[in-house]
Amino acid sequence: MMPQPDTYHVPVLLHESVDALDIRPDGTYVDVTFGGGGHSREILNRLGPNGRLIAFDQDADALANVPDDARFTLVRHNFRFIADFLDYIGVAPVDGVLGDLGVSSHHFDDGSRGFSFRQYGPLDMRMNRAATQTAAEVVNSYEPDALARILGSWGEVDKPFKIVNAITKARGESPISTTAQLRQIVESVTPRNDQNKTLTKVFQALRIEVNHEMDALDAMLRGCAKCIAPGGRVVMIAYHSLEDRMVKNIMKSGDPMKAQAEQDVVFGTVEVPFSVSQRKPTVPSPDEVERNPRARSAKMRWAVKI
């Protein structure tokens, strides 16, 4: 039985994020991370009869949460294609885009998806189960240097080669196919007091690699600059430093790698896609974190399209 929307995923910073969109009752908005539909339902609650909401989700499990509402359209594709799809269905430019990045509660809790080291299951981690590459294939087939790069870049693991060497040795004896096997390997070379933190980083790194998350986020944020109307808003909730840094940089400079926009060498002007009014991100209240521990690392940023 599929989880109900209210248990599939508990939305983080729900009212703060939808407030930041500054909803117009007759506007057109996009939820690029539909999931359990919590943010989408709140947006629909604030839209009038002529408003419209487009949502993206590549996971077939999300279909069970689609609201019976003529104002709502679900696009079954990766959000990296936001600009192309909005143009294709004839709704661009839109008035705002909201994204609750990272992994839903449903994915972490479903052991068969392989996202969590706390659940037993196949080492899968595919957001879109029609995709071919799994985390097991990455762990068993990538060269050691490539694995070390992934753990260091996507997981920010301090000494990745210690873990990579243990993985290489283990896979030489038999394929690594379950979350439990990978957990045991990582724990075998990690001090006990660092095991949970290290496992979190390793699983995060593999998940990002399997789903090409940073490339998709880059493409989606650049797409927002193309498909949001002037004065419209982009609101993003991030859960780890890689996501948050990219969101912040795109909003400030239009470039995922640059924290500040560059001046035109001839005219001295600075062209950026968004105007950022927040000096610091919005974070969940202590009460929300107590109710929903996943919210602990969340940071919300928003900007206005120029």
Side-chain angles (χ1 to χ4, degrees):
M1 179 182 294
M2 283 295 301
Q4 294 301 306
D6 57 350
T7 59
Y8 183 105
H9 176 71
V10 180
V12 174
L13 290 166
L14 175 61
H15 297 290
E16 294 89 341
S17 60
V18 180
D19 286 347
L21 280 177
D22 194 24
I23 299 287
R24 288 179 30 233
D26 61 346
T28 300
Y29 295 88
V30 182
D31 178 355
V32 294
T33 50
F34 175 66
H39 288 98
S40 282
R41 288 193 296 275
E42 182 62 25
I43 293 171
L44 288 168
N45 286 340
R46 302 190 191 193
L47 286 175
N50 296 320
R52 187 166 183 185
L53 175 62
I54 316 298
F56 283 74
D57 204 304
Q58 60 186 332
D59 189 346
D61 286 358
L63 287 172
N65 304 322
V66 171
D68 182 13
D69 193 314
R71 300 169 300 170
F72 179 85
T73 301
L74 179 66
V75 178
R76 289 278 313 283
H77 286 278
N78 191 297
F79 61 35
R80 69 163 66 226
F81 304 113
I82 180 172
D84 292 337
F85 271 99
L86 295 184
D87 185 61
Y88 175 73
I89 62 180
V91 298
V94 298
D95 298 294
V97 177
L98 183 148
D100 181 9
L101 308 173
V103 182
S104 74
S105 310
H106 167 67
H107 289 132
F108 278 130
D109 293 341
D110 184 352
S112 70
R113 303 299 297 270
F115 283 97
S116 175
F117 63 87
R118 300 180 188 278
Q119 304 285 345
Y120 179 84
L123 201 55
D124 193 319
M125 302 194 194
R126 291 172 297 169
M127 296 285 193
N128 179 0
R129 284 189 280 196
T132 55
Q133 181 175 255
T134 66
E137 291 177 18
V138 172
V139 167
N140 288 292
S141 68
Y142 275 32
E143 293 295 325
D145 285 349
L147 276 178
R149 174 185 57 78
I150 290 166
L151 297 186
S153 297
W154 301 148
E156 300 180 297
V157 176
D158 292 334
K159 297 178 180 178
F161 270 105
K162 181 183 292 187
I163 295 171
V164 169
N165 289 339
I167 289 173
T168 303
K169 179 181 179 181
R171 75 187 190 185
E173 298 173 358
S174 63
I176 303 166
S177 59
T178 69
T179 55
Q181 285 176 288
L182 182 58
R183 175 173 182 161
Q184 185 177 27
I185 292 165
V186 174
E187 287 180 339
S188 72
V189 293
T190 306
R192 183 176 294 275
N193 60 337
D194 288 334
Q195 286 178 349
N196 283 348
K197 180 189 293 186
T198 302
L199 283 163
T200 298
K201 291 180 176 182
V202 169
F203 274 65
Q204 172 184 297
L206 292 172
R207 188 196 81 223
I208 290 174
E209 177 69 12
V210 167
N211 297 288
H212 309 288
E213 289 181 29
M214 300 312 294
D215 288 341
L217 179 59
D218 181 9
M220 183 270 286
L221 291 170
R222 291 178 188 269
C224 286
K226 298 177 182 178
C227 65
I228 298 180
R233 299 191 176 193
V234 56
V235 180
M236 293 290 148
I237 304 168
Y239 294 87
H240 58 76
S241 59
L242 299 176
E243 290 175 339
D244 183 57
R245 189 180 307 123
M246 182 173 286
V247 169
K248 179 173 63 176
N249 288 352
I250 287 277
M251 287 182 175
K252 286 188 173 182
S253 71
D255 189 313
M257 304 303 293
K258 297 177 181 177
Q260 298 295 330
E262 294 183 351
Q263 284 190 335
D264 184 283
V265 294
V266 177
F267 299 103
T269 57
V270 177
E271 291 189 6
V272 293
F274 301 104
S275 172
V276 181
S277 57
Q278 286 180 299
R279 289 187 58 201
K280 295 182 178 180
T282 301
V283 298
S285 68
D287 286 345
E288 179 171 6
V289 172
E290 185 175 355
R291 294 193 307 271
N292 181 12
R294 178 178 178 269
R296 186 182 309 277
S297 61
K299 293 182 179 179
M300 184 192 85
R301 299 183 188 272
W302 63 272
V304 179
K305 178 69 169 65
I306 296 174

